[in-house]
Amino acid sequence: MGDSWIHFSFFISATFFLASIPFSNSQLAPAESRILFQVQQLLEYPQALQSWNNWTNFCSLSPTPSLTIVCSGNHITELTIVGNKTSPSQINPKLSPSNFAVSQHTLSDRFSTDSFFTVLTKLSSLQKLSLVYLGLWGPLPAKVNRFRSLEVLNISSNFIFGELPQSVSSYQSLRSLVLSDNLFNGSVPDLSSLSLLEELDLSNNYFGPNFPSLSNDLVIINLGNNSLRSEIPQDLKKLNKLQFLDVSSNKLVGPIPSFLFSLPSVQHINLAKNKLSGAFPPNASCNGKLNFVDVSSNLLIGKLPTCLASSVGKRTVVIMWNCLSNTTSKYQRPYAFCQKDALAVMPSVRNEEEESTLKLGIVLGVIGGVVAILGVLGLLILVIYRRLHRKNGRDYRSESFVMEKTPVRGSPIGRHVPQPMRMTSLGLPPYHVFTLEDMEDATNSFDPSNLVGEGSQGQLYKGWLRDGSVVMVKCLKLKQKHSHQALQHHMEVISKLRHRHLVSVLGHCIVSYQDHPSTAGTVFIVLENIANGSLRDHLIDWRKREVLKWPQRMAITMGVARGIQYLHTGGVLGNDLKIDTILLDESLTAKISSYNINIPSKVGAESPLHGQDTSSSSHSENPEKEDIYRLGVILVEVITGRPVDSKSELDDLKFQLERSLAESPSKLRDLIDPSMRGTFAYESLKTVVQITINCLSKDPTGRPTVEDVLWHMQYSVQVQEGWSSSGNLSGNLSGNLTNKM
């Protein structure tokens, strides 16, 4: 584990809010102190609150990843508590309001949301409230509107069920409402009166069936993965400030409104996995700021609008699994499929006579049956053609990697979100500037027993912050002189690079020379502790490797690819990517720990964090494609289940993978990790193998972009999910292969 930490250049993590929490010497009103102790008891003493006692000065507590309390005068204005429970989306089988039961994932059956919010609403000056991963369960009581000054409300990742109370619409100061990943159901109350609301995140619930009424000043709308069954309302044309819209994974019907892509501020639109039908408006235009569109897995027909079909700027467009005609995508369904399904989901129309309705139903049923048979025959012909085409082809490069899009090179999706909202929504810890005394306290004065490892760049210590959280502290003694101001600016840039699949930097401490106070001599980097080992550890230990079935390996490699995508959008290229530097947390989430972040003042100068600038990005002609190559190496190691130690071994494995694709599915049996056998759909595995081969192309220009890799990985996941739910995939091919394995 120590080596995994020493080899990295630097660590960074998910989208981030850096707002200096004001330190307060004020003494909290006794009544509010008693309220906090009641909250501690009602939440059943979560880890973040266990240290509270009668001598705790709540207004002077340093903010931590799990607890933030901000006071103004004698009153609490901000309360953030992040627990260590899970959430409904992380439980398998999937939870719903109908099958909810109190469990180890929730608070006990003694908990009452009514009692809890009765106590909490007595904090009358509260402006920001975040209660995340605490296992809260039960209906949200109407009395939540007693928070008269509330600006940010985040109760995400809990088990709140029932309808959202109408009283929520009375928050006149509310700017951010985040209730994602709960078990809410029913209709969303009218929110059009919330004139200050900028962020609305109700994703991963069961809201529906109607699309909610919303205020016109919203910047972010996330209603993904709910039960919406209506059409997209025309009222959205009034949302001139809207930048982010996600209504994916619902059952929305009808056509896509002509105005949607031309909203004046819109940048991101996700309409995937709905039942949207019909053709795009012939005069549809796109806003120049629009950089991401996903309309995949719908029932769209006709031609793609010119502004989406052509390469415009840096726009990503995903259109697979529709019935579009002016595209070279191999992942379009026959026209008849979309026509039949569109009729099936079309809103019912009342006829004058029930007999006419019955006759029409019979006629449509007959037509549907004929169309279905023709569709099956068409798919069979397509499959046969593709097999023959593969056998005749001598070039192993997959044409399916060419998508109807241009790669994203702008800011990462979500960067437009106001910083405080992103921080509150995701429950990320605020970045903290530590003192030397803090570093000494955390490491017990750099006790040798806490030394994890030592390299040419410095030492790595295990430490404990005052809230009890375990961290890693990297001590770097700078060989060249850097001004305190320049290094502070360098750290400020790094603090803003955060992502779920990058190891999080929690803060830093800069120590200056005594004889030159304006010159930095040492910098301490405080990093989150990922104690579950590296990807290499999991591949070489047979007990850990047995846990990594095909779905888990897909999730890990997709996490790595998403981390690379985030780094590339920020211009961070030529990174040290290998299984040693891919760390896995307790939930097997992949986190990249080695980056090439060099901001020297001149060529060849030492980077304050990485020493002499010798990164591959300095010497490689195409560092972006070099990262793709390294991703390909990781994919080979994940598929085969063994580390690759030499270039010749890698070339041999690549050749064997190419040959197995050209010959027969059974050839993969001797190549893949035996631990995965019986857990994958052949088409899913084949897609990832094709991705891998392309990533390892000797010609850098022949390697796909990270966006190409991601979208085809997503296709692989779709196929795998279909196979898992049905027990077989595309007839006997995968079924026979599974039986053999």
Side-chain angles (χ1 to χ4, degrees):
M1 177 62 203
D3 291 341
S4 299
W5 283 91
I6 297 170
H7 289 347
F8 69 87
S9 310
F10 202 67
F11 308 121
I12 317 171
S13 161
T15 32
F16 157 85
F17 158 52
L18 180 58
S20 298
I21 303 296
F23 181 81
S24 174
N25 289 317
S26 59
Q27 187 66 37
L28 190 62
E32 296 202 2
S33 293
R34 289 194 294 270
I35 291 171
L36 288 180
F37 284 121
Q38 287 181 276
V39 168
Q40 180 191 38
Q41 181 180 9
L42 291 170
L43 291 179
E44 301 173 6
Y45 300 93
Q47 184 176 357
L49 313 185
Q50 286 180 359
S51 62
W52 289 1
N53 55 52
N54 292 332
W55 294 275
T56 300
N57 184 350
F58 293 107
C59 293
S60 298
L61 290 176
S62 298
T64 72
S66 53
L67 177 66
T68 297
I69 298 177
V70 177
C71 303
S72 178
N74 297 334
H75 301 285
I76 297 174
T77 57
E78 177 177 350
L79 176 62
T80 295
I81 307 174
V82 180
N84 55 6
K85 300 283 188 180
T86 186
S87 65
S89 66
Q90 298 171 336
I91 295 177
N92 192 22
K94 185 179 180 181
L95 270 183
S96 68
S98 60
N99 66 4
F100 169 79
V102 173
S103 67
Q104 72 271 22
H105 305 299
T106 68
L107 296 175
S108 70
D109 54 8
R110 299 187 301 274
F111 177 76
S112 165
T113 50
D114 187 78
S115 300
F116 178 70
F117 282 100
T118 297
V119 171
L120 200 59
T121 51
K122 293 178 182 179
L123 298 175
S124 57
S125 300
L126 208 58
Q127 297 176 7
K128 297 180 181 180
L129 175 63
S130 294
L131 305 168
V132 182
Y133 288 120
L134 290 170
L136 307 179
W137 65 272
L140 190 65
K143 63 184 66 176
V144 293
N145 69 337
R146 294 178 183 175
F147 293 116
R148 295 299 182 186
S149 304
L150 207 60
E151 298 178 5
V152 175
L153 176 61
N154 178 10
I155 319 179
S156 61
S157 301
N158 285 289
F159 296 83
I160 308 296
F161 55 74
E163 294 194 7
L164 186 61
Q166 182 67 40
S167 58
V168 170
S169 61
S170 64
Y171 287 128
Q172 295 305 309
S173 302
L174 198 64
R175 295 186 293 107
S176 174
L177 178 61
V178 180
L179 305 174
S180 59
D181 207 356
N182 277 283
L183 300 172
F184 284 106
N185 59 356
S187 298
V188 178
D190 189 340
L191 303 179
S192 58
S193 61
L194 300 180
S195 58
L196 299 181
L197 190 64
E198 296 179 339
E199 178 185 30
L200 177 66
D201 188 350
L202 306 180
S203 59
N204 291 298
N205 281 286
Y206 293 85
F207 286 115
N210 296 323
F211 203 100
S213 297
L214 306 173
S215 65
N216 295 336
D217 290 324
L218 278 163
V219 177
I220 304 140
I221 300 175
N222 192 346
L223 301 174
N225 200 16
N226 275 285
S227 301
L228 303 178
R229 297 173 183 268
S230 62
E231 296 187 359
I232 298 176
Q234 294 292 316
D235 287 346
L236 291 184
K237 68 171 61 174
K238 301 175 183 177
L239 275 60
N240 293 329
K241 299 179 181 179
L242 184 65
Q243 298 179 13
F244 182 99
L245 174 65
D246 188 340
V247 292
S248 60
S249 299
N250 282 280
K251 289 180 170 45
L252 295 172
V253 299
I256 297 177
S258 58
F259 63 82
L260 199 59
F261 303 115
S262 59
L263 288 171
S265 303
V266 71
Q267 299 177 17
H268 178 106
I269 297 177
N270 191 347
L271 310 177
K273 296 184 179 180
N274 280 287
K275 300 292 182 181
L276 298 170
S277 59
F280 285 93
N283 58 344
S285 59
C286 299
N287 170 18
K289 302 175 184 176
L290 185 62
N291 57 40
F292 180 90
V293 175
D294 189 349
V295 294
S296 61
S297 300
N298 279 287
L299 304 170
L300 302 172
I301 61 175
K303 295 183 177 181
L304 203 61
T306 304
C307 64
L308 298 180
S310 59
S311 298
V312 178
K314 300 173 180 178
R315 183 173 298 149
T316 300
V317 180
V318 187
I319 62 170
M320 63 177 63
W321 304 124
N322 282 286
C323 303
L324 298 170
S325 57
N326 64 333
T327 172
T328 58
S329 171
K330 294 184 178 180
Y331 302 116
Q332 292 296 313
R333 296 185 172 106
Y335 173 82
F337 177 91
C338 292
Q339 189 180 40
K340 172 176 69 69
D341 276 29
L343 288 173
V345 300
M346 187 179 295
S348 59
V349 179
R350 294 185 179 179
N351 295 314
E352 294 181 359
E353 298 181 7
E354 293 182 1
E355 184 179 356
S356 299
T357 303
L358 179 61
K359 289 180 180 179
L360 178 61
I362 294 173
V363 171
L364 292 177
V366 172
I367 294 174
V370 173
V371 168
I373 293 172
L374 292 175
V376 170
L377 290 175
L379 286 173
L380 182 61
I381 293 170
L382 180 62
V383 169
I384 294 173
Y385 169 77
R386 289 182 64 186
R387 288 187 193 172
L388 292 173
H389 183 68
R390 281 199 303 269
K391 289 181 179 180
N392 292 333
R394 302 191 61 177
D395 186 357
Y396 296 109
R397 175 176 170 81
S398 171
E399 293 178 3
S400 65
F401 280 88
V402 181
M403 299 286 291
E404 294 75 20
K405 64 188 188 66
T406 56
V408 176
R409 290 293 178 272
S411 58
I413 295 169
R415 189 170 289 180
H416 62 272
V417 182
Q419 293 279 1
M421 295 183 185
R422 293 217 313 276
M423 168 63 183
T424 307
S425 301
L426 298 175
L428 298 176
Y431 193 87
H432 190 73
V433 179
F434 295 91
T435 65
L436 180 58
E437 182 182 0
D438 292 331
M439 297 295 91
E440 291 173 341
D441 289 345
T443 60
N444 193 18
S445 298
F446 303 100
D447 191 312
S449 63
N450 293 327
L451 182 64
V452 175
E454 188 171 8
S456 59
Q457 298 288 314
Q459 299 82 32
L460 186 71
Y461 290 88
K462 189 173 184 178
W464 290 263
L465 298 181
R466 291 176 180 174
D467 67 332
S469 58
V470 182
V471 295
M472 305 303 289
V473 179
K474 187 175 184 182
C475 173
L476 300 169
K477 293 187 177 179
L478 305 178
K479 297 177 182 179
Q480 293 186 356
K481 292 184 178 181
H482 295 271
S483 71
H484 192 285
Q485 183 179 3
L487 191 56
Q488 186 70 34
H489 174 72
H490 184 73
M491 295 306 303
E492 192 173 62
V493 172
I494 290 169
S495 71
K496 294 177 181 177
L497 285 171
R498 294 191 140 202
H499 192 271
R500 182 169 180 258
H501 294 291
L502 309 179
V503 175
S504 175
V505 178
L506 305 179
H508 74 275
C509 168
I510 298 174
V511 180
S512 302
Y513 291 107
Q514 291 184 351
D515 53 344
H516 293 91
S518 62
T519 304
T522 304
V523 60
F524 297 93
I525 312 298
V526 181
L527 312 149
E528 67 172 323
N529 179 45
I530 308 298
N532 199 27
S534 67
L535 181 54
R536 172 182 281 273
D537 297 333
H538 283 72
L539 291 179
I540 62 177
D541 184 331
W542 68 269
R543 289 177 293 267
K544 293 181 178 180
R545 190 170 68 245
E546 283 293 325
V547 178
L548 300 183
K549 305 304 181 184
W550 181 238
Q552 286 76 29
R553 298 189 193 210
M554 279 196 298
I556 289 170
T557 51
M558 280 193 70
V560 175
R562 291 191 188 281
I564 294 172
Q565 182 190 39
Y566 182 82
L567 290 171
H568 283 190
T569 57
V572 182
L573 309 172
N575 301 286
D576 184 21
L577 303 168
K578 51 190 176 184
I579 56 174
D580 306 76
T581 58
I582 305 300
L583 306 182
L584 304 179
D585 66 13
E586 290 77 7
S587 62
L588 297 180
T589 299
K591 292 179 177 286
I592 304 173
S593 67
S594 185
Y595 313 111
N596 176 38
I597 304 178
N598 290 291
I599 316 179
S601 57
K602 57 183 180 295
V603 177
E606 177 197 31
S607 168
L609 300 180
H610 307 286
Q612 194 70 22
D613 182 11
T614 57
S615 71
S616 60
S617 67
S618 302
H619 306 288
S620 173
E621 293 182 359
N622 198 333
E624 179 181 355
K625 296 299 185 180
E626 197 66 26
D627 283 350
I628 299 300
Y629 184 87
R630 294 191 179 104
L631 176 59
V633 176
I634 292 172
L635 286 167
V636 168
E637 294 171 309
V638 168
I639 292 169
T640 61
R642 58 191 182 194
V644 177
D645 297 320
S646 67
K647 179 70 164 57
S648 59
E649 184 181 2
L650 177 64
D651 291 340
D652 181 62
L653 285 172
K654 178 190 174 187
F655 173 76
Q656 293 183 57
L657 289 171
E658 289 177 322
R659 187 174 62 182
S660 69
L661 289 181
E663 294 181 1
S664 66
S666 60
K667 290 291 184 180
L668 277 175
R669 180 172 56 180
D670 297 329
L671 290 178
I672 66 169
D673 186 350
S675 303
M676 299 192 316
R677 292 176 182 173
T679 68
F680 63 86
Y682 170 70
E683 190 71 18
S684 174
L685 176 65
K686 184 189 73 171
T687 301
V688 176
V689 171
Q690 289 174 328
I691 293 169
T692 303
I693 292 170
N694 280 272
C695 290
L696 296 175
S697 172
K698 291 183 178 180
D699 179 9
T701 60
R703 298 169 194 162
T705 65
V706 68
E707 285 82 12
D708 292 330
V709 175
L710 269 173
W711 288 120
H712 288 275
M713 281 186 168
Q714 288 173 338
Y715 167 69
S716 175
V717 170
Q718 280 186 332
V719 172
Q720 180 70 23
E721 288 176 347
W723 177 78
S724 299
S725 61
S726 63
N728 56 66
L729 177 70
S730 300
N732 294 328
L733 180 61
S734 64
N736 290 340
L737 182 64
T738 304
N739 292 334
K740 290 177 183 179
M741 297 188 176

